[in-house]
Amino acid sequence: LAPSGSCKLSKLVSLANRILSFVSETMNMLRVLAWMFVVPGSAVPSFDIHLETAPELRWKDVNKYYMEDILAMGEKFDGTLKKKFSETEIQSWTEALNSTLSAEFSAEIQGIVDDINSPFWTFSRVLLYNNLYELESPTLCSGVLAAKPDGTVIHGRNMDYTFKFTLPDGSTHDWPDVTFDVNIWRGGEKIITMVTWPLYIGVHTGMRFNGWTFEQNTRHTNNHTLNLEAAKQGALPFSVEIRSMMQTIPTFEAAMEKIKSTNFMAPQYFIMAGAKPFEGAVLTIDRGGKFLPGTPPIAKLDQTSGAWHLLQTNDDSNKPQEWDYRRPLTEIMLATKDEHEVNEDFVWNTVRSYTLFNPLTAFTWVATPASGYHETIVHSEAPPGHALIQDSAAVSDPRSIKMSEDWRKLAEWPMRRLKMFQGLSRN
């Protein structure tokens, strides 16, 4: 006999309760893991770049500040690059990428090379480093857009990525040790802020003041061989192209239209927020300027339909989730909230929740285009205004935490996934 309506409802309620219980227990466990070594936040270094300055001179302060790290990074990057690519492939990549570079950005890279004066950081190597994603170096990231009832959109982002290198004294540094903010000025006005690393002149995380924000996330159809073939056909890398757009396009709608019409060489996700009410979108990018069957359509915030938030990790939103627990668990959490709770603190709590914050999170960034608010913290720092969480469940030795196999798999998923790639960030 078919079950009655009340029986079906009872089963659905039971399933929902089990899911919520699973989420609650998972969050409690990940609270111990994620916050074990977090300390109260402090600002990352910040540098100013003035576009009136000759391009060759713009990054001198950054180069001087991070010189020891830059030299150590060079040896690591050179070694991992040679393990992944032949000299012929490196030459092909250099030629393809150089053909896409504007005179302005080419001069910036040459200025960095001249400043550093290291055999490991030639023009070719710095150019390739600025296109890590197209070379298929893996990242695992998450982005959240949330709108207040008045439509003000707040953008939160986790950069989940590792690149460990050894300094002359034997100590090990990683992306959090070299993460900083850059403010770009023109005509006495601060027009752009971006989060970046030494040698990297493009934008993977940034905001045009009173305009739009941008975040790029990995899509797992990324393939360096196919990317190179697309590059030879005129397709573009994302980071310097987005910086060029940020310097020339002031509004969200115009930026989104430009991005939609641009031929990018790699598949990826772009998450954007705007300064006007309910301006927010997630764009799923296909290689070669195409829109392939099965690719998710542009997702937008929408007051009429009640779509007050968007979430993007590293999987297509219209396909079954196969390996990444972050998006479904976070969506369940957000389903218990509403837009009246949204402010910067709400977004900080979301991106630093135990469903998104993980051992690979290099930095977290929150920005509001309408107000100009932006803040960056690295992995070991707590969000602004938050003290270090003191959890009675925490223990001094994490190895003594007793976890079932399910919890252990969930807590370790980022590292398992990262090991599936042969990317440049592998140790």
Side-chain angles (χ1 to χ4, degrees):
L1 295 176
S4 67
S6 61
C7 181
K8 288 181 178 178
L9 179 60
S10 176
K11 288 184 176 181
L12 286 173
V13 171
S14 175
L15 176 61
N17 287 334
R18 288 166 59 193
I19 292 173
L20 290 174
S21 176
F22 173 83
V23 173
S24 178
E25 292 182 45
T26 300
M27 287 182 175
N28 287 336
M29 182 57 65
L30 294 183
R31 169 187 291 243
V32 177
L33 295 175
W35 287 92
M36 187 68 72
F37 302 107
V38 170
V39 297
S42 60
V44 299
S46 180
F47 299 87
D48 292 321
I49 286 180
H50 296 266
L51 295 180
E52 291 80 6
T53 301
E56 295 88 348
L57 305 177
R58 291 173 184 171
W59 296 91
K60 276 188 171 293
D61 289 344
V62 173
N63 298 336
K64 180 179 179 181
Y65 188 90
Y66 286 107
M67 185 60 73
E68 185 177 44
D69 288 283
I70 289 171
L71 295 176
M73 292 165 66
E75 187 172 359
K76 169 66 180 293
F77 182 69
D78 188 69
T80 53
L81 192 67
K82 289 177 178 177
K83 289 179 182 178
K84 186 177 179 71
F85 299 105
S86 68
E87 285 299 327
T88 300
E89 289 174 315
I90 290 173
Q91 182 63 29
S92 294
W93 267 109
T94 301
E95 292 173 359
L97 292 170
N98 196 32
S99 69
T100 70
L101 207 57
S102 69
E104 176 187 16
F105 296 148
S106 179
E108 285 192 11
I109 289 178
Q110 187 59 57
I112 291 171
V113 172
D114 293 343
D115 246 8
I116 296 168
N117 192 28
S118 164
F120 294 119
W121 287 121
T122 61
F123 186 94
S124 169
R125 292 301 190 265
V126 177
L127 178 61
L128 294 172
Y129 171 89
N130 271 270
N131 295 277
L132 285 169
Y133 181 75
E134 285 75 14
L135 297 178
E136 203 183 344
S137 183
T139 60
L140 296 166
C141 302
S142 57
V144 175
L145 304 178
K148 298 180 180 180
D150 68 0
T152 301
V153 181
I154 305 169
H155 184 169
R157 159 339 173 252
N158 285 332
M159 169 65 82
D160 303 334
Y161 195 12
T162 183
F163 181 78
K164 294 181 179 179
F165 54 94
T166 304
L167 296 177
D169 64 3
S171 61
T172 299
H173 276 190
D174 203 343
W175 290 132
D177 299 293
V178 292
T179 295
F180 59 94
D181 287 342
V182 167
N183 298 310
I184 297 180
W185 297 72
R186 183 171 58 208
E189 178 186 3
K190 185 163 57 174
I191 62 169
I192 296 169
T193 182
M194 62 188 196
V195 190
T196 191
W197 304 303
L199 310 169
Y200 199 93
I201 68 170
V203 177
H204 52 66
T205 307
M207 176 173 69
R208 169 82 185 225
F209 285 98
N210 198 36
W212 50 287
T213 60
F214 176 83
E215 163 192 350
Q216 186 267 0
N217 283 10
T218 292
R219 191 177 179 200
H220 291 306
T221 49
N222 192 21
N223 179 287
H224 67 84
T225 302
L226 298 178
N227 295 345
L228 179 57
E229 290 305 311
K232 292 177 179 179
Q233 300 301 316
L236 300 172
F238 85 88
S239 69
V240 292
E241 188 65 18
I242 295 299
R243 182 175 155 198
S244 179
M245 291 182 195
M246 277 205 161
Q247 290 183 186
T248 57
I249 302 176
T251 66
F252 169 86
E253 283 293 342
M256 189 168 67
E257 289 304 312
K258 177 64 174 177
I259 286 173
K260 285 163 56 179
S261 65
T262 299
N263 177 5
F264 291 102
M265 68 176 69
Q268 53 208 311
Y269 306 102
F270 294 158
I271 300 91
M272 303 170 60
K276 293 181 180 179
F278 297 99
E279 286 188 330
V282 174
L283 292 79
T284 303
I285 306 298
D286 288 316
R287 181 184 293 106
K290 302 174 183 177
F291 187 79
L292 300 176
T295 294
I298 296 174
K300 295 184 178 181
L301 296 173
D302 182 64
Q303 183 180 24
T304 303
S305 67
W308 61 270
H309 74 271
L310 294 172
L311 170 66
Q312 181 63 55
T313 53
N314 302 106
D315 57 345
D316 286 3
S317 60
N318 63 349
K319 296 181 176 61
Q321 184 277 327
E322 297 179 351
W323 58 268
D324 186 348
Y325 291 93
R326 294 171 301 162
R327 184 166 58 84
L329 289 179
T330 307
E331 289 287 11
I332 291 172
M333 180 183 71
L334 288 170
T336 68
K337 311 293 184 180
D338 67 57
E339 63 269 32
H340 294 90
E341 300 176 61
V342 174
N343 53 29
E344 279 79 10
D345 195 56
F346 174 90
V347 176
W348 277 113
N349 286 334
T350 302
V351 289
R352 276 303 184 102
S353 69
Y354 317 113
T355 57
L356 295 179
F357 182 51
N358 64 78
L360 294 179
T361 302
F363 69 78
T364 304
W365 176 78
V366 173
T368 308
S371 67
Y373 170 87
H374 64 96
E375 190 88 31
T376 308
I377 60 172
V378 296
H379 180 92
S380 61
E381 298 171 339
H386 290 61
L388 174 62
I389 289 181
Q390 301 294 332
D391 195 321
S392 59
V395 292
S396 58
D397 185 354
R399 290 172 297 182
S400 67
I401 298 174
K402 305 300 183 184
M403 292 192 292
S404 70
E405 187 61 24
D406 286 343
W407 307 138
R408 186 173 298 280
K409 287 179 180 178
L410 180 60
E412 292 178 351
W413 72 260
M415 198 60 69
R416 294 202 319 274
R417 184 64 183 178
L418 189 64
K419 289 178 180 178
M420 294 176 65
F421 293 87
Q422 300 296 319
L424 298 178
S425 64
R426 290 189 62 178
N427 297 324

